């Protein structure tokens, strides 16, 4: 079965074709970074309008890259939430209409399930069960995963997501949007021990996160007269986020008696996080899995894959366009 996947939940338009026999056939991505950079963050109305302009050209692009015909598509999946309502609507309308015109099924996919399953696109996919750390711009979740749709949220951020804390701290330091990767680049040249910053919520039991106070602590140091160098502050901030994320991962793995860890979502592209996660899993005699770098951040391939798993299992949705800007991962049906 060949599934066309469409991602448009935020500021990236992603389109891909996934074949349940042959794997990923083609994918294409258009990032709206330049469009929003001027404003220092995503402007929802501009995002929606831009998705509308990119969706059809990108779809034609993947069809020609894959060397198939439009009529070879057997199903269409799209991100129906969580995300920006207008942006989601652009993808949902296009996906639903195309599926209707081709007389094939369509299915709305949960964006975070897309991130969670993205490592399954790699040659060495993680076997179930595993602990999954989902770290994106909008969410920070620790999940026990026993199979597709078998998700138990063990912990989540009670305020800012990890990526959001990276972006807001970077913005205060005058770095361009989106700040996460820019801050990480600065951190490479800094001393992570130069500035002492908190490891929030590590001193109490539980698996929830909080990054808002850490962000404020970093920004406060930046505003002081004797402020540290940008490089040192970036390295110290990055280190505090990574220590906190992995401290909770270790706790979750112990609690669930699992030694396999999956890390996915935009922040999983962070090299310091990857290096430290590698050390942690080695210590625990386990293994850590990631998507390839380009599939850590938003993309169409993960939505085509998640949709293909579910459509192949017979999941269908009624005719009509429905988006779910707020949507719990635990409410998804098990396959
Ligand atoms: O998954 P994603 O593309 O979009 C959402 O679903 O939110 O994640 C984007 C987030 C942004 O906050 C971005 O700054 C962060 O991932 N990010 C990084 C890095 N690359 C992307 N944060 C830290 N280090 C990176 N290398
Ligand atoms: Zn995402």
């Amino acid at each position: 079965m060949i599934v066309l996947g469409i991602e448009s939940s935020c500021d990236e338009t992603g389109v891909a074709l996934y074949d349940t026999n042959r794997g990923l056939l083609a994918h294409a991505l258009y990032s709206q970074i330049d469009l929003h950079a001027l404003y220092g963050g995503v402007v929802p109305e501009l995002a929606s309008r831009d998705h509308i302009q990119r969706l059809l050209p990108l779809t034609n692009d993947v069809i020609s890259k894959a060397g198939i015909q439009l009529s070879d598509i057997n199903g269409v999946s799209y991100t129906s939430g969580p995300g920006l309502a207008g942006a989601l609507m652009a993808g949902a309308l296009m996906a639903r209409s195309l599926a209707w015109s081709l007389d094939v099924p369509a299915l709305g996919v949960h964006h975070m399930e897309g991130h969670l399953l993205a490592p399954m696109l790699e040659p060495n996919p993680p076997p179930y069960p595993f602990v999954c750390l989902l770290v994106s711009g909008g969410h920070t979740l620790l999940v026990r995963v026993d199979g597709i749709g078998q998700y138990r949220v063990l912990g989540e951020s009670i305020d800012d997501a990890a990526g959001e804390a990276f972006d807001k701290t970077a913005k205060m330091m005058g770095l361009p949007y989106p700040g996460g990767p820019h801050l990480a680049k600065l951190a490479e040249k800094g001393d992570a021990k130069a500035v002492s910053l908190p490891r929030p919520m590590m001193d109490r039991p539980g698996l929830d996160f909080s990054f808002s106070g850490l962000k404020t602590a970093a920004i406060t140091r930046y505003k002081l007269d004797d402020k540290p160098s940008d490089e040192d502050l970036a390295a110290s901030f990055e280190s505090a986020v990574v220590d906190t994320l992995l401290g909770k991962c270790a706790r979750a793995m112990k609690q669930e008696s699992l030694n396999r860890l999956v890390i996915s979502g935009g922040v999983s592209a962070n090299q310091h996080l990857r290096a430290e996660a590698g050390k942690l899993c080695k210590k625990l005699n386990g293994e850590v899995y990631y998507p390839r770098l380009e599939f850590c951040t938003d993309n169409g391939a993960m939505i085509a894959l998640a949709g293909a798993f579910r459509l192949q299992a017979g999941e269908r949705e009624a005719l009509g366009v429905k988006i779910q800007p707020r949507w719990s991962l635990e409410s998804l049906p098990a396959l």
Side-chain angles (χ1 to χ4, degrees), residues 18 21 98 131 302:
Y18 184 84
N21 294 321
L98 182 64
V131 167
M302 66 186 196

Side-chain angles (χ1 to χ4, degrees), residues 67-254:
I68 64 161
Q69 306 293 317
L70 190 59
S71 55
D72 294 327
I73 293 172
N74 310 112
V76 182
S77 61
Y78 59 95
T79 305
S80 58
L84 302 170
L88 291 168
M89 191 53 98
L93 276 166
M94 137 79 183
R96 211 60 197 79
S97 319
L98 182 64
W100 179 76
S101 73
L102 295 173
D103 199 20
V104 298
L107 194 66
V109 166
H110 193 294
H111 181 78
M112 299 312 287
E113 178 173 66
H115 278 305
L116 190 154
L117 295 175
M120 304 296 173
L121 288 161
E122 302 311 320
N124 175 29
Y128 301 107
F130 52 80
V131 167
C132 179
L133 173 69
L134 291 170
V135 269
S136 71
H139 297 84
T140 303
L141 292 165
L142 254 176
V143 191
R144 182 193 164 102
V145 180
D146 285 281
I148 295 172
Q150 292 174 261
Y151 310 134
R152 189 153 55 80
V153 175
L154 305 170
E156 62 190 313
S157 178
I158 58 168
D159 42 54
D160 290 356
E164 188 180 359
F166 262 99
D167 293 344
K168 287 179 175 169
T169 305
K171 190 176 179 178
M172 283 305 297
M173 293 173 68
L175 297 172
Y177 154 86
H182 292 281
L183 194 147
K185 187 107 195 69
L186 261 187
E188 283 171 17
K189 292 182 228 102
D191 172 8
K193 292 198 174 66
V195 187
S196 131
L197 292 171
R199 268 63 179 159
M201 298 183 62
M202 283 306 295
D203 55 348
R204 64 185 94 163
L207 295 168
D208 285 339
F209 304 93
S210 163
F211 291 108
S212 158
L214 171 57
K215 167 198 71 188
T216 306
I219 292 170
T220 306
R221 290 304 304 267
Y222 185 77
K223 287 182 176 162
L224 290 179
D225 288 340
D226 67 335
K227 80 177 174 83
S229 75
D230 286 8
E231 288 81 1
D232 284 352
L233 185 60
S236 303
F237 172 80
E238 180 184 66
S239 213
V241 174
V242 167
D243 283 357
T244 310
L245 289 172
L246 292 179
K248 295 289 163 101
C249 286
R251 225 180 250 184
M253 290 161 81
K254 188 164 174 229

Side-chain angles (χ1 to χ4, degrees), residues 15 17 26-29 54-67:
V15 181
L17 283 164
H27 64 98
L29 187 81
R54 308 290 166 194
L55 283 163
L56 284 177
L58 287 175
T59 302
N60 286 328
D61 185 25
V62 292
I63 288 171
S64 85
K65 272 198 218 157

